[in-house]
Coordinates of all heavy atoms in Angstrom, one line a residue:
M1 N 0.8 -1.2 0.0 CA 0.0 0.0 0.0 C 0.9 1.3 0.0 O 0.7 2.1 -0.9 CB -0.9 -0.1 1.3 CG -1.9 1.1 1.4 SD -3.0 1.2 0.0 CE -3.7 2.8 0.2
L2 N 1.8 1.3 0.9 CA 2.7 2.4 1.0 C 3.6 2.5 -0.2 O 3.9 3.6 -0.8 CB 3.6 2.3 2.3 CG 4.5 3.5 2.6 CD1 3.6 4.8 2.8 CD2 5.4 3.3 3.7
G3 N 4.0 1.3 -0.7 CA 4.8 1.2 -1.9 C 4.1 1.8 -3.1 O 4.7 2.6 -3.9
A4 N 2.9 1.5 -3.2 CA 2.1 2.0 -4.4 C 2.0 3.5 -4.3 O 2.0 4.2 -5.3 CB 0.7 1.3 -4.4
L5 N 1.8 4.0 -3.1 CA 1.7 5.4 -2.9 C 2.9 6.1 -3.3 O 2.9 7.1 -3.9 CB 1.3 5.7 -1.4 CG 0.9 7.1 -1.0 CD1 -0.5 7.3 -1.5 CD2 1.0 7.3 0.5
L6 N 4.1 5.6 -2.8 CA 5.4 6.2 -3.1 C 5.6 6.1 -4.6 O 6.1 7.1 -5.2 CB 6.5 5.4 -2.4 CG 6.6 5.7 -0.9 CD1 7.6 4.9 -0.2 CD2 6.8 7.2 -0.6
L7 N 5.2 5.0 -5.3 CA 5.4 4.9 -6.7 C 4.6 6.0 -7.4 O 5.2 6.7 -8.3 CB 5.0 3.5 -7.2 CG 5.2 3.2 -8.7 CD1 6.7 3.2 -9.0 CD2 4.6 1.9 -9.1
S8 N 3.3 6.1 -7.1 CA 2.5 7.1 -7.8 C 3.0 8.5 -7.5 O 3.0 9.4 -8.4 CB 1.0 7.0 -7.4 OG 0.9 7.1 -6.1
L9 N 3.5 8.7 -6.3 CA 4.1 10.0 -6.0 C 5.3 10.3 -6.8 O 5.5 11.4 -7.3 CB 4.5 10.0 -4.5 CG 4.7 11.4 -3.8 CD1 3.3 12.1 -3.7 CD2 5.3 11.2 -2.4
S10 N 6.2 9.3 -7.0 CA 7.4 9.6 -7.8 C 7.1 9.8 -9.2 O 7.7 10.5 -10.0 CB 8.4 8.4 -7.6 OG 7.9 7.2 -8.1
L11 N 6.0 9.1 -9.7 CA 5.6 9.3 -11.1 C 5.1 10.7 -11.3 O 5.3 11.4 -12.3 CB 4.4 8.3 -11.5 CG 4.9 6.9 -11.7 CD1 3.7 6.0 -11.9 CD2 5.8 6.8 -12.9
L12 N 4.3 11.2 -10.3 CA 3.8 12.6 -10.3 C 5.0 13.6 -10.3 O 4.9 14.5 -11.1 CB 3.0 12.8 -9.0 CG 1.9 13.8 -9.1 CD1 0.7 13.2 -9.9 CD2 1.4 14.0 -7.6
I13 N 6.0 13.4 -9.5 CA 7.1 14.3 -9.5 C 7.9 14.2 -10.8 O 8.3 15.2 -11.3 CB 8.0 13.9 -8.3 CG1 7.3 14.2 -7.0 CG2 9.4 14.7 -8.4 CD1 8.0 13.7 -5.8
G14 N 8.0 13.0 -11.3 CA 8.7 12.9 -12.6 C 8.0 13.6 -13.7 O 8.6 14.3 -14.5
A15 N 6.6 13.5 -13.7 CA 5.9 14.2 -14.8 C 6.0 15.7 -14.6 O 6.1 16.4 -15.6 CB 4.4 13.8 -14.7
S16 N 6.0 16.2 -13.4 CA 6.0 17.7 -13.2 C 7.4 18.2 -13.5 O 7.5 19.3 -14.0 CB 5.6 18.0 -11.8 OG 6.7 17.6 -10.9
A17 N 8.4 17.4 -13.4 CA 9.8 17.8 -13.7 C 9.9 17.9 -15.3 O 10.5 18.8 -15.8 CB 10.8 16.8 -13.2
L18 N 9.2 17.1 -16.0 CA 9.2 17.2 -17.5 C 8.5 18.5 -17.9 O 8.9 19.2 -18.7 CB 8.5 16.0 -18.1 CG 9.3 14.7 -18.2 CD1 8.5 13.6 -18.8 CD2 10.5 14.9 -19.1
C19 N 7.3 18.7 -17.3 CA 6.5 19.9 -17.6 C 7.3 21.2 -17.3 O 7.1 22.2 -17.9 CB 5.2 19.9 -16.9 SG 4.1 18.5 -17.4
A20 N 8.1 21.1 -16.2 CA 8.7 22.3 -15.7 C 9.8 22.8 -16.7 O 10.4 23.8 -16.4 CB 9.4 22.0 -14.4
Q21 N 10.1 22.1 -17.7 CA 11.2 22.6 -18.7 C 10.7 23.7 -19.5 O 11.4 24.5 -20.0 CB 11.6 21.4 -19.6 CG 12.4 20.4 -18.8 CD 12.9 19.3 -19.7 OE1 12.6 19.2 -20.9 NE2 13.7 18.4 -19.2
A22 N 9.3 23.8 -19.7 CA 8.8 24.8 -20.6 C 8.9 26.2 -20.1 O 9.4 27.0 -20.9 CB 7.3 24.4 -20.9
P23 N 8.5 26.6 -18.9 CA 8.6 28.0 -18.5 C 10.0 28.5 -18.4 O 10.9 27.7 -17.9 CB 7.9 28.0 -17.2 CG 7.9 26.6 -16.6 CD 8.1 25.7 -17.8
L24 N 10.2 29.7 -18.7 CA 11.6 30.3 -18.7 C 11.9 30.8 -17.3 O 11.0 31.3 -16.6 CB 11.7 31.4 -19.7 CG 11.6 31.0 -21.2 CD1 11.7 32.2 -22.1 CD2 12.6 29.9 -21.5
A25 N 13.1 30.6 -16.8 CA 13.5 31.1 -15.5 C 14.1 32.5 -15.7 O 14.6 32.8 -16.7 CB 14.5 30.1 -14.9
D26 N 14.0 33.3 -14.6 CA 14.6 34.6 -14.6 C 16.0 34.5 -14.1 O 16.4 33.7 -13.2 CB 13.8 35.5 -13.6 CG 12.4 35.8 -14.1 OD1 12.4 36.4 -15.2 OD2 11.5 35.5 -13.4
G27 N 16.9 35.3 -14.8 CA 18.3 35.3 -14.4 C 19.0 36.6 -14.8 O 18.4 37.4 -15.4
Q28 N 20.2 36.7 -14.4 CA 21.1 37.8 -14.8 C 22.4 37.3 -15.3 O 23.0 36.4 -14.6 CB 21.2 38.8 -13.6 CG 22.0 40.0 -14.1 CD 22.1 41.0 -12.9 OE1 22.0 40.7 -11.8 NE2 22.4 42.3 -13.3
V29 N 22.9 37.8 -16.4 CA 24.1 37.4 -16.9 C 25.3 37.9 -16.1 O 25.3 39.1 -15.8 CB 24.3 37.8 -18.4 CG1 25.7 37.4 -18.9 CG2 23.2 37.4 -19.2
I30 N 26.1 37.1 -15.6 CA 27.3 37.5 -14.8 C 28.5 37.5 -15.7 O 29.3 38.5 -15.7 CB 27.5 36.6 -13.6 CG1 26.3 36.6 -12.7 CG2 28.8 37.0 -12.8 CD1 25.9 37.9 -12.1
K31 N 28.7 36.5 -16.5 CA 29.9 36.3 -17.3 C 29.6 35.5 -18.5 O 28.8 34.6 -18.5 CB 31.0 35.6 -16.4 CG 32.4 35.7 -16.9 CD 33.3 35.1 -16.0 CE 34.4 34.3 -16.7 NZ 35.1 33.3 -15.9
I32 N 30.3 35.8 -19.6 CA 30.1 35.1 -20.8 C 31.5 34.6 -21.3 O 32.4 35.4 -21.4 CB 29.4 35.9 -21.9 CG1 27.9 36.2 -21.5 CG2 29.4 35.2 -23.3 CD1 27.2 37.1 -22.4
D33 N 31.6 33.4 -21.7 CA 32.8 32.8 -22.3 C 32.4 32.2 -23.6 O 32.1 31.1 -23.7 CB 33.4 31.8 -21.3 CG 34.8 31.3 -21.8 OD1 35.1 31.5 -23.0 OD2 35.5 30.7 -21.1
E34 N 32.5 33.1 -24.6 CA 32.0 32.7 -26.0 C 32.9 31.5 -26.5 O 32.4 30.6 -27.1 CB 32.1 33.8 -26.9 CG 30.7 34.6 -27.0 CD 30.7 35.6 -28.1 OE1 30.6 35.2 -29.3 OE2 30.7 36.8 -27.8
A35 N 34.2 31.6 -26.2 CA 35.1 30.6 -26.8 C 34.8 29.2 -26.2 O 34.8 28.2 -27.0 CB 36.6 31.0 -26.4
A36 N 34.5 29.2 -25.0 CA 34.1 27.9 -24.3 C 32.6 27.5 -24.5 O 32.2 26.4 -24.1 CB 34.5 27.9 -22.9
G37 N 31.8 28.5 -25.0 CA 30.4 28.3 -25.1 C 29.7 28.2 -23.7 O 28.8 27.4 -23.6
K38 N 30.2 29.0 -22.8 CA 29.7 28.9 -21.4 C 29.2 30.3 -21.0 O 29.7 31.3 -21.3 CB 30.7 28.4 -20.5 CG 31.1 26.9 -20.8 CD 31.7 26.2 -19.7 CE 31.7 24.7 -20.0 NZ 32.7 23.9 -19.3
I39 N 28.2 30.2 -20.1 CA 27.6 31.4 -19.5 C 27.4 31.3 -18.1 O 26.9 30.2 -17.6 CB 26.3 31.8 -20.3 CG1 25.7 33.1 -19.7 CG2 25.3 30.7 -20.3 CD1 24.5 33.6 -20.4
T40 N 27.8 32.3 -17.3 CA 27.5 32.3 -15.9 C 26.3 33.1 -15.6 O 26.2 34.2 -16.0 CB 28.7 32.9 -15.1 OG1 29.9 32.2 -15.5 CG2 28.5 32.7 -13.6
I41 N 25.3 32.4 -15.0 CA 24.0 33.1 -14.7 C 23.7 33.1 -13.2 O 23.9 32.1 -12.5 CB 22.9 32.3 -15.4 CG1 23.1 32.2 -16.9 CG2 21.5 32.9 -15.1 CD1 22.1 31.4 -17.7
K42 N 23.2 34.2 -12.7 CA 22.7 34.3 -11.4 C 21.2 34.1 -11.5 O 20.5 34.8 -12.2 CB 23.1 35.7 -10.8 CG 22.7 36.0 -9.4 CD 23.2 37.3 -9.0 CE 22.4 37.9 -7.8 NZ 22.8 39.3 -7.6
H43 N 20.7 33.2 -10.7 CA 19.3 32.9 -10.8 C 18.7 32.5 -9.5 O 19.4 32.1 -8.5 CB 19.1 31.8 -11.9 CG 19.6 30.4 -11.5 ND1 19.0 29.6 -10.6 CD2 20.8 29.8 -11.9 CE1 19.7 28.5 -10.5 NE2 20.8 28.6 -11.2
G44 N 17.4 32.5 -9.4 CA 16.6 32.1 -8.3 C 16.5 30.6 -8.2 O 17.1 29.9 -8.9
P45 N 15.7 30.1 -7.2 CA 15.6 28.7 -7.0 C 15.0 28.0 -8.3 O 14.2 28.5 -9.0 CB 14.5 28.6 -5.9 CG 14.6 29.9 -5.2 CD 14.9 30.9 -6.2
L46 N 15.6 26.8 -8.6 CA 15.1 26.0 -9.7 C 14.8 24.6 -9.1 O 15.7 23.7 -9.1 CB 16.1 25.9 -10.8 CG 16.4 27.2 -11.6 CD1 17.5 26.9 -12.6 CD2 15.2 27.7 -12.3
K47 N 13.7 24.5 -8.5 CA 13.4 23.3 -7.7 C 13.5 22.0 -8.5 O 13.8 20.9 -8.0 CB 12.0 23.4 -7.0 CG 11.9 24.6 -6.2 CD 11.7 24.3 -4.7 CE 11.6 25.6 -4.0 NZ 11.7 25.5 -2.5
Q48 N 13.2 22.1 -9.8 CA 13.2 20.9 -10.6 C 14.6 20.3 -10.8 O 14.7 19.2 -11.2 CB 12.5 21.2 -12.0 CG 13.3 22.1 -12.9 CD 12.9 23.5 -12.8 OE1 12.7 24.0 -11.7 NE2 12.8 24.2 -13.9
F49 N 15.6 21.1 -10.5 CA 17.0 20.6 -10.5 C 17.6 20.5 -9.1 O 18.8 20.4 -9.0 CB 17.8 21.5 -11.4 CG 17.3 21.6 -12.8 CD1 16.9 22.8 -13.4 CD2 17.3 20.5 -13.6 CE1 16.4 22.9 -14.7 CE2 16.9 20.5 -14.9 CZ 16.4 21.7 -15.4
G50 N 16.7 20.6 -8.1 CA 17.2 20.4 -6.8 C 17.9 21.7 -6.3 O 18.7 21.6 -5.3
M51 N 17.8 22.8 -7.0 CA 18.4 24.1 -6.5 C 17.3 24.8 -5.7 O 16.4 25.5 -6.3 CB 18.8 24.9 -7.7 CG 19.8 24.2 -8.6 SD 20.1 25.2 -10.1 CE 20.9 24.0 -11.1
D52 N 17.4 24.6 -4.4 CA 16.3 25.2 -3.6 C 16.5 26.7 -3.2 O 15.7 27.3 -2.7 CB 16.2 24.4 -2.3 CG 15.7 23.0 -2.6 OD1 15.0 22.8 -3.6 OD2 16.0 22.1 -1.8
E53 N 17.7 27.1 -3.5 CA 18.0 28.6 -3.3 C 18.6 29.2 -4.5 O 19.1 28.5 -5.4 CB 19.1 28.7 -2.1 CG 18.5 28.3 -0.8 CD 19.6 28.3 0.3 OE1 20.5 29.0 0.2 OE2 19.4 27.5 1.3
G54 N 18.6 30.5 -4.6 CA 19.2 31.2 -5.7 C 20.7 31.0 -5.6 O 21.3 30.7 -4.6
M55 N 21.3 31.1 -6.8 CA 22.8 30.9 -6.9 C 23.4 31.5 -8.2 O 22.6 31.9 -9.0 CB 23.0 29.4 -6.9 CG 22.5 28.7 -8.2 SD 22.7 26.9 -8.2 CE 21.4 26.4 -7.0
T56 N 24.6 31.5 -8.2 CA 25.3 31.9 -9.5 C 26.1 30.7 -10.0 O 26.9 30.1 -9.2 CB 26.3 33.0 -9.2 OG1 25.5 34.1 -8.7 CG2 27.1 33.4 -10.4
M57 N 25.8 30.3 -11.2 CA 26.5 29.0 -11.7 C 26.7 29.1 -13.2 O 26.1 29.9 -13.9 CB 25.6 27.8 -11.3 CG 24.3 27.8 -11.9 SD 23.3 26.4 -11.4 CE 24.0 25.2 -12.6
V58 N 27.5 28.2 -13.7 CA 27.9 28.2 -15.1 C 27.1 27.2 -15.8 O 26.8 26.0 -15.4 CB 29.4 27.7 -15.2 CG1 29.8 27.7 -16.7 CG2 30.3 28.7 -14.5
Y59 N 26.5 27.6 -17.0 CA 25.8 26.7 -17.8 C 26.5 26.7 -19.2 O 27.2 27.6 -19.6 CB 24.4 27.3 -18.1 CG 23.4 27.2 -17.0 CD1 23.4 28.1 -16.0 CD2 22.5 26.1 -16.9 CE1 22.6 28.1 -14.9 CE2 21.6 26.0 -15.8 CZ 21.7 27.0 -14.9 OH 20.8 26.9 -13.8
R60 N 26.4 25.5 -19.8 CA 26.9 25.4 -21.2 C 25.8 25.9 -22.1 O 24.6 25.6 -21.9 CB 27.2 23.9 -21.5 CG 28.0 23.7 -22.8 CD 28.5 22.3 -22.9 NE 27.4 21.3 -22.9 CZ 26.6 21.0 -23.9 NH1 26.8 21.6 -25.1 NH2 25.7 20.1 -23.8
A61 N 26.1 26.6 -23.1 CA 25.1 27.1 -24.1 C 24.9 26.0 -25.1 O 25.8 25.4 -25.7 CB 25.6 28.3 -24.8
A62 N 23.6 25.6 -25.3 CA 23.3 24.5 -26.3 C 23.8 24.9 -27.7 O 24.3 24.1 -28.4 CB 21.8 24.3 -26.4
D63 N 23.8 26.2 -28.0 CA 24.3 26.8 -29.2 C 25.1 28.0 -28.9 O 24.5 29.0 -28.4 CB 23.2 27.1 -30.1 CG 23.6 27.7 -31.5 OD1 24.8 28.0 -31.6 OD2 22.8 27.8 -32.4
P64 N 26.4 28.1 -29.1 CA 27.3 29.2 -28.7 C 26.8 30.5 -29.3 O 27.0 31.6 -28.8 CB 28.6 28.9 -29.3 CG 28.6 27.4 -29.4 CD 27.2 27.0 -29.7
S65 N 26.0 30.5 -30.4 CA 25.5 31.7 -31.1 C 24.5 32.4 -30.2 O 24.2 33.6 -30.3 CB 24.9 31.5 -32.4 OG 23.7 30.8 -32.3
M66 N 23.9 31.7 -29.2 CA 23.0 32.3 -28.2 C 23.7 33.4 -27.4 O 23.0 34.2 -26.8 CB 22.5 31.2 -27.2 CG 21.6 30.1 -27.9 SD 21.5 28.7 -26.8 CE 20.9 29.3 -25.3
L67 N 25.0 33.3 -27.3 CA 25.7 34.2 -26.4 C 26.1 35.5 -27.0 O 26.6 36.4 -26.3 CB 27.0 33.4 -25.9 CG 26.7 32.1 -25.2 CD1 28.1 31.5 -24.8 CD2 25.8 32.3 -24.0
T68 N 25.9 35.7 -28.3 CA 26.3 36.9 -29.0 C 25.5 38.1 -28.7 O 25.9 39.2 -28.8 CB 26.4 36.6 -30.5 OG1 25.2 36.2 -31.0 CG2 27.5 35.6 -30.8
A69 N 24.2 37.8 -28.4 CA 23.2 38.9 -28.3 C 23.1 39.5 -26.9 O 22.3 40.4 -26.7 CB 21.8 38.5 -28.8
I70 N 23.8 38.9 -26.0 CA 23.7 39.3 -24.6 C 25.1 39.7 -24.0 O 26.1 39.3 -24.6 CB 23.1 38.2 -23.7 CG1 23.8 36.9 -24.0 CG2 21.6 38.1 -24.0 CD1 23.4 35.8 -23.0
K71 N 25.0 40.4 -22.9 CA 26.3 40.8 -22.3 C 26.1 40.8 -20.8 O 25.0 40.8 -20.3 CB 26.7 42.2 -22.8 CG 25.7 43.3 -22.5 CD 26.1 44.6 -23.0 CE 25.3 45.8 -22.6 NZ 23.8 45.6 -22.5
P72 N 27.3 40.8 -20.0 CA 27.2 40.7 -18.6 C 26.3 41.9 -18.0 O 26.4 43.0 -18.5 CB 28.6 40.8 -18.1 CG 29.4 40.2 -19.3 CD 28.6 40.6 -20.5
G73 N 25.5 41.6 -17.1 CA 24.6 42.6 -16.5 C 23.2 42.5 -17.0 O 22.3 43.0 -16.4
D74 N 23.0 41.9 -18.2 CA 21.7 41.8 -18.8 C 20.8 40.9 -17.9 O 21.2 39.9 -17.5 CB 21.8 41.2 -20.2 CG 22.2 42.2 -21.2 OD1 22.3 43.4 -20.9 OD2 22.5 41.8 -22.4
K75 N 19.5 41.3 -17.8 CA 18.5 40.5 -17.2 C 18.0 39.6 -18.3 O 17.7 40.1 -19.4 CB 17.4 41.4 -16.6 CG 17.9 42.2 -15.5 CD 17.4 41.6 -14.2 CE 17.9 42.2 -12.9 NZ 18.0 43.6 -12.8
I76 N 17.8 38.3 -18.1 CA 17.4 37.4 -19.1 C 16.3 36.5 -18.6 O 16.1 36.3 -17.4 CB 18.6 36.5 -19.6 CG1 19.3 35.8 -18.4 CG2 19.6 37.3 -20.4 CD1 20.2 34.7 -18.9
K77 N 15.6 35.8 -19.5 CA 14.8 34.7 -19.3 C 15.5 33.5 -20.0 O 15.9 33.7 -21.1 CB 13.4 34.9 -19.8 CG 12.7 36.1 -19.2 CD 11.2 35.7 -18.9 CE 10.6 36.9 -18.1 NZ 10.2 36.5 -16.8
F78 N 15.7 32.4 -19.3 CA 16.4 31.3 -19.9 C 15.8 30.0 -19.6 O 15.0 29.8 -18.6 CB 17.9 31.3 -19.4 CG 18.1 31.0 -17.9 CD1 18.5 29.7 -17.6 CD2 17.8 31.9 -17.0 CE1 18.7 29.4 -16.2 CE2 18.0 31.6 -15.6 CZ 18.4 30.3 -15.3
A79 N 16.0 29.0 -20.5 CA 15.5 27.7 -20.3 C 16.6 26.7 -19.9 O 17.5 26.4 -20.7 CB 14.9 27.2 -21.6
P80 N 16.7 26.4 -18.6 CA 17.7 25.5 -18.1 C 17.3 24.0 -18.4 O 16.2 23.6 -18.4 CB 17.8 25.7 -16.6 CG 16.4 26.2 -16.3 CD 15.8 26.8 -17.5
D81 N 18.3 23.2 -18.6 CA 18.1 21.7 -18.8 C 19.3 21.0 -18.3 O 20.4 21.6 -18.0 CB 17.9 21.4 -20.3 CG 17.2 20.1 -20.5 OD1 16.9 19.4 -19.5 OD2 16.9 19.8 -21.6
R82 N 19.2 19.7 -18.0 CA 20.3 18.9 -17.6 C 20.5 17.8 -18.6 O 19.6 17.0 -18.8 CB 20.1 18.4 -16.2 CG 21.3 17.6 -15.7 CD 21.4 17.5 -14.2 NE 20.1 17.2 -13.6 CZ 19.9 17.2 -12.3 NH1 20.9 17.6 -11.5 NH2 18.7 16.9 -11.8
V83 N 21.7 17.8 -19.3 CA 22.0 16.8 -20.3 C 23.2 16.0 -19.8 O 24.3 16.6 -19.6 CB 22.2 17.4 -21.6 CG1 22.6 16.4 -22.7 CG2 21.0 18.3 -22.1
N84 N 23.1 14.7 -19.6 CA 24.2 13.9 -19.1 C 24.9 14.5 -17.9 O 26.1 14.5 -17.8 CB 25.3 13.7 -20.2 CG 24.7 13.0 -21.5 OD1 23.8 12.1 -21.3 ND2 25.1 13.3 -22.6
G85 N 24.1 15.0 -17.0 CA 24.6 15.5 -15.7 C 25.2 16.9 -15.8 O 25.7 17.4 -14.8
Q86 N 25.2 17.4 -17.0 CA 25.7 18.8 -17.2 C 24.6 19.8 -17.4 O 23.6 19.5 -18.1 CB 26.7 18.8 -18.4 CG 27.5 20.0 -18.5 CD 28.4 20.0 -19.7 OE1 28.1 19.4 -20.7 NE2 29.5 20.7 -19.6
F87 N 24.7 20.9 -16.8 CA 23.7 21.9 -16.9 C 23.9 22.7 -18.2 O 25.0 23.2 -18.5 CB 23.6 22.9 -15.7 CG 23.1 22.2 -14.5 CD1 23.9 21.7 -13.5 CD2 21.7 21.9 -14.4 CE1 23.4 21.0 -12.4 CE2 21.2 21.2 -13.3 CZ 22.1 20.8 -12.3
V88 N 22.8 22.8 -18.9 CA 22.8 23.4 -20.3 C 21.7 24.4 -20.3 O 20.6 24.3 -19.7 CB 22.5 22.3 -21.3 CG1 22.5 23.0 -22.7 CG2 23.6 21.3 -21.3
V89 N 21.9 25.5 -21.0 CA 20.8 26.5 -21.2 C 20.4 26.4 -22.7 O 21.3 26.4 -23.6 CB 21.2 27.9 -20.8 CG1 22.4 28.4 -21.5 CG2 20.0 28.9 -21.0
T90 N 19.2 26.1 -23.0 CA 18.7 25.8 -24.3 C 18.1 27.0 -25.0 O 17.9 27.0 -26.2 CB 17.7 24.6 -24.3 OG1 16.6 24.9 -23.5 CG2 18.3 23.3 -23.8
K91 N 17.8 28.0 -24.2 CA 17.1 29.2 -24.8 C 17.4 30.4 -23.9 O 17.4 30.3 -22.7 CB 15.6 28.9 -24.9 CG 14.9 30.0 -25.6 CD 13.4 29.6 -25.7 CE 12.6 30.7 -26.4 NZ 11.2 30.5 -26.4
I92 N 17.7 31.5 -24.5 CA 17.9 32.7 -23.7 C 17.2 33.9 -24.4 O 17.3 34.1 -25.6 CB 19.4 33.1 -23.7 CG1 20.2 32.0 -23.0 CG2 19.6 34.5 -22.9 CD1 21.7 32.3 -22.9
E93 N 16.4 34.6 -23.6 CA 15.7 35.8 -24.1 C 16.1 36.9 -23.2 O 16.2 36.8 -22.0 CB 14.2 35.6 -24.0 CG 13.6 34.8 -25.1 CD 12.1 34.6 -24.8 OE1 11.6 35.3 -23.9 OE2 11.5 33.8 -25.5
K94 N 16.3 38.1 -23.8 CA 16.5 39.3 -23.0 C 15.2 39.7 -22.3 O 14.1 39.7 -23.0 CB 17.0 40.5 -23.9 CG 18.4 40.8 -23.7 CD 18.7 42.1 -24.4 CE 20.2 42.4 -24.3 NZ 20.6 43.6 -25.0
A95 N 15.3 39.9 -21.0 CA 14.1 40.4 -20.3 C 13.9 41.9 -20.4 O 14.9 42.6 -20.5 CB 14.1 39.9 -18.8
R96 N 12.7 42.3 -20.5 CA 12.5 43.8 -20.6 C 11.7 44.2 -19.4 O 10.9 43.5 -18.9 CB 11.6 44.1 -21.8 CG 12.2 43.9 -23.1 CD 11.2 43.8 -24.2 NE 10.8 42.4 -24.5 CZ 11.4 41.6 -25.3 NH1 12.5 42.1 -25.9 NH2 11.1 40.4 -25.4
Ligands
CU101 CU1 21.7 26.8 -10.4

């Protein structure tokens, strides 16, 4: 009985983690390394990735050309993802 409950609970959490990829997270660009295709973003909690508090961390850009339109200090909306244990940003929009 408890096992079934835990199983359905984990399925629920799994499903919500998938859905949670769609909305963009708020962040601020701290640093850009175009050569390495990496961006440092300061962002709030991203519970779907176990980040319960805001932090500043490095993401790999899914496409390095995403990094050309932004600069340090810009407020952005971004789509975080985890690919093979590495944090990747798949979309970046300038916030207005
Ligand atoms: Cu983070």
Side-chain angles (χ1 to χ4, degrees):
M1 182 62 194
L2 185 64
L5 190 73
L6 285 176
L7 181 68
S8 57
L9 198 69
S10 65
L11 286 175
L12 209 70
I13 291 169
S16 71
L18 280 178
C19 294
Q21 290 182 355
L24 298 179
D26 290 304
Q28 185 176 20
V29 181
I30 300 299
K31 196 177 142 199
I32 292 171
D33 186 341
E34 267 189 73
K38 296 199 166 158
I39 177 171
T40 307
I41 302 173
K42 184 174 157 192
H43 66 78
L46 296 173
K47 304 241 178 196
Q48 68 269 40
F49 298 117
M51 303 174 191
D52 293 335
E53 292 173 27
M55 65 184 76
T56 299
M57 62 181 278
V58 178
Y59 288 83
R60 189 170 62 78
D63 180 350
S65 71
M66 293 162 58
L67 303 178
T68 57
I70 49 170
K71 59 182 189 319
D74 282 351
K75 295 255 170 49
I76 55 167
K77 299 221 173 247
F78 68 104
D81 200 358
R82 183 155 46 189
V83 180
N84 299 326
Q86 192 182 26
F87 288 103
V88 178
V89 57
T90 56
K91 187 178 178 186
I92 299 176
E93 283 176 8
K94 252 191 187 181
R96 293 160 267 274

